[in-house]
Amino acid sequence: MEQRHFAVLVVGAGASGLGAAIRLGQAGVDDLAVLEKADALGGTWRDNTYPGCACDVPSALYSYSFAPNPGWTRAFAGQAEIRAYLADTASRFGVTSKIRYGVEVTRAQWNGSVWELETTRGPYTARILVAGTGPWHEPLIPDLPGLAGFPGEVFHSARWNHGYDLAGKRVAVIGTGASAVQFVPRIAGEVARLHLFQRTAQWVLPKPDHHVPGVERLLLRRFPALQRALRGAEYGAMETLGFGFRHPWLLRQVQKIGLAHLRLAVRDPVLRRTLTPDYTLGCKRLLMSNTYYPSLTRSHVDVHPTAVRSVDGSRVLGADGSVSEVDAIIFGTGFHILDMPVSARVFDGDGRSLDDHWKGSPQAYAGTTVAGFPNLYLLLGPSLGTGHSSAFMILEAQLRHTVAAVTRTLRSGWASVSVRASVQDAFNAEVQAALPGTVYQSGGCSSYYTDVNGRNSFSWPFSTGRLRSLVGSFDEADYEVVSGKQG
């Protein structure tokens, strides 16, 4: 009979879930399974296959510290290579056999002793639940009037339709964020006409990307100290930039690089004005590309500096009155970041969901645990976004916290561990008090960092070192512990 009860269940087989399974396994937690709704691992890097998809963090930093990859072929790795790295790492650390594919969690509720899960493959129970579903998971598609009646092709960048031939088509791209900056240059040469709808101009810096020669990869493989040195140097460079996020005057100096990059690529003064941001760099997600600006200067590319008001038949209507007749619409509009779908599916012992508790403003202690939800650990949770460093760094800090809490729970025979509400409140108060001095709050823009209540529930306002120290530490005194093993 298939096992249905586990000491630990991990939801999601992306970078977060795989990292949790590996680290828990190394700590001796064998009674564990990973539930993955898709038929393959990889998470974000499985779902996003749009042309040009790549990381915007240096490759040396975009990996688990315990599984460095000396074989990256580019300074900023592409989607296929990152997904292959995750698959290889899962295999090497023996967690592939722990994954149960095609199992989507539709509801998880704490019953006072265990987590009861309803899934598309029947019920599961677990003493401890680790949610590795991440914030870059569910595509955000605007509810545009008339979109349902559009006769052409419509898809989001994270659900790219590779079966649809863009050659010779008139295409509207809605959104100019991180995904669009990568795929627009790739499709601009194929389409007959490209209409790019830009609600807000983005800061785009040059991307120091390049092919990594085979001899360099060989040296990194043979001499691990070189790889550690490279990782350390790239970490230091990113942390210098991170200092600017907490001291916006410094980023205003970095903006000069962005303006020079724009001037060199775009000679038309009207288009250049359209593409020039009116807020401080770093207020929105930092973007890098060497090809985005040049692609927008092509004669068949039109940049519309406006939001989209509606769709009327095959016409896309801009809020500025512009009308564009198109054959396809591609959304580069990001994800449900602060309204993560998992929060509507996880319930406390009284039947109240995370959504009910949060009321639009996600809060957790150290981005990891939530008062009233015993034995639950969120990975890449609220208030941990740094704007400049690798998600793997944040994740590994959380995993140190989570693994320490889980192993202590199992070995001590604790029934449950729940963060004290006062501890959670104090943590979030400190974060919110520090945010106004950062570029996220003072940079003069609106971004997905801000939730529906106008609160920044995404960003971390302190140094990365402080994040690693605070988030990475589990202190029993911060938690209400119920003794006596149950479930």
Side-chain angles (χ1 to χ4, degrees):
M1 180 179 291
E2 183 183 46
Q3 183 178 351
R4 290 281 173 166
H5 176 77
F6 293 86
V8 181
L9 279 174
V10 177
V11 181
S16 299
L18 294 174
I22 291 170
R23 282 311 213 190
L24 286 167
Q26 290 177 324
V29 180
D30 296 320
D31 187 13
L32 173 149
V34 180
L35 306 183
E36 169 54 56
K37 71 175 184 178
D39 59 1
L41 59 76
T44 295
W45 300 104
R46 174 199 61 231
D47 294 344
N48 287 270
T49 61
Y50 59 80
C53 182
C55 190
D56 50 14
V57 171
S59 302
L61 292 178
Y62 206 77
S63 58
Y64 304 110
S65 64
F66 56 84
N69 179 20
W72 297 119
T73 62
R74 298 202 65 81
F76 291 78
Q79 174 265 337
E81 202 166 7
I82 296 171
R83 185 179 176 187
Y85 164 77
L86 291 173
D88 176 67
T89 303
S91 177
R92 285 194 295 120
F93 285 87
V95 302
T96 307
S97 61
K98 300 282 189 182
I99 304 172
R100 299 193 176 189
Y101 293 109
V103 182
E104 180 175 2
V105 177
T106 56
R107 182 184 177 94
Q109 181 164 354
W110 175 252
N111 73 0
S113 59
V114 297
W115 282 98
E116 296 179 336
L117 278 65
E118 297 175 10
T119 81
T120 51
R121 295 290 180 87
Y124 285 83
T125 57
R127 291 183 60 196
I128 297 167
L129 185 64
V130 179
T133 51
W136 297 281
H137 171 62
E138 192 65 32
L140 177 63
I141 298 179
D143 184 19
L144 295 177
L147 181 62
F150 180 71
E153 186 68 23
V154 179
F155 56 86
H156 189 279
S157 60
R159 302 291 185 267
W160 196 273
N161 183 357
H162 292 278
Y164 181 74
D165 187 3
L166 291 170
K169 301 295 195 306
R170 299 165 300 173
V171 178
V173 172
I174 300 175
T176 55
S179 301
V181 162
Q182 293 183 339
F183 75 72
V184 163
R186 293 297 187 94
I187 68 172
E190 299 178 40
V191 303
R193 197 88 195 171
L194 194 153
H195 296 275
L196 179 66
F197 288 86
Q198 170 193 276
R199 188 171 57 180
T200 307
Q202 303 278 357
W203 284 105
V204 182
L205 296 177
K207 190 172 186 177
D209 191 21
H210 59 85
H211 174 72
V212 180
V215 64
E216 182 177 333
R217 299 198 300 272
L218 179 63
L219 288 171
L220 291 172
R221 187 172 288 108
R222 287 190 175 179
F223 302 101
L226 286 178
Q227 189 170 8
R228 289 193 295 273
L230 175 62
R231 186 179 177 102
E234 291 186 346
Y235 174 82
M238 297 301 283
E239 284 309 294
T240 299
L241 185 61
F243 182 82
F245 281 75
R246 304 187 301 279
H247 302 84
W249 64 267
L250 180 60
L251 290 179
R252 295 188 187 100
Q253 308 310 308
V254 180
Q255 280 180 194
K256 295 175 183 178
I257 298 174
L259 290 172
H261 182 50
L262 176 59
R263 280 196 303 271
L264 287 171
V266 180
R267 299 296 184 182
D268 178 3
V270 175
L271 178 58
R272 193 163 62 238
R273 272 197 304 274
T274 296
L275 297 173
T276 301
D278 61 359
Y279 55 87
T280 305
L281 182 146
C283 184
K284 288 178 176 286
R285 180 173 174 179
L286 191 63
L287 306 179
M288 293 184 289
S289 174
N290 302 323
T291 55
Y292 179 65
Y293 285 147
S295 72
L296 303 185
T297 66
R298 301 174 74 120
S299 60
H300 67 290
V301 176
D302 297 311
V303 179
H304 303 273
T306 180
V308 173
R309 185 180 74 225
S310 62
V311 178
D312 180 16
S314 60
R315 302 184 307 161
V316 177
L317 310 181
D320 63 350
S322 62
V323 178
S324 305
E325 191 92 18
V326 299
D327 304 301
I329 298 174
I330 303 175
F331 287 101
T333 44
F335 300 87
H336 288 274
I337 300 291
L338 296 174
D339 55 341
M340 298 174 284
V342 68
S343 60
R345 302 184 183 190
V346 178
F347 296 79
D348 66 14
D350 296 324
R352 296 179 63 213
S353 69
L354 281 169
D355 270 351
D356 293 333
H357 280 258
W358 288 342
K359 294 181 171 55
S361 294
Q363 295 188 55
Y365 171 58
T368 308
T369 53
V370 182
F373 289 80
N375 293 8
L376 172 69
Y377 300 90
L378 304 177
L379 301 180
L380 299 182
S383 298
L384 295 183
T386 63
H388 69 281
S389 58
S390 169
F392 279 85
M393 183 279 301
I394 300 168
L395 171 63
E396 289 199 50
Q398 287 190 279
L399 290 180
R400 288 194 296 276
H401 190 123
T402 299
V403 170
V406 169
T407 53
R408 185 75 185 276
T409 298
L410 296 178
R411 291 169 185 168
S412 301
W414 294 342
S416 66
V417 177
S418 180
V419 66
R420 299 179 187 276
S422 59
V423 171
Q424 178 177 300
D425 291 344
F427 169 82
N428 282 283
E430 185 178 16
V431 167
Q432 292 302 312
L435 278 168
T438 68
V439 72
Y440 311 121
Q441 298 294 95
S442 64
C445 75
S446 62
S447 73
Y448 67 73
Y449 303 152
T450 304
D451 62 36
V452 294
N453 298 315
R455 178 181 183 273
N456 185 330
S457 298
F458 181 86
S459 303
W460 175 257
F462 308 114
S463 70
T464 304
R466 185 168 175 180
L467 187 153
R468 296 171 73 181
S469 174
L470 190 154
V471 176
S473 301
F474 169 72
D475 185 347
E476 180 185 340
D478 294 332
Y479 289 81
E480 295 174 356
V481 174
V482 177
S483 300
K485 181 176 177 181
Q486 300 177 35

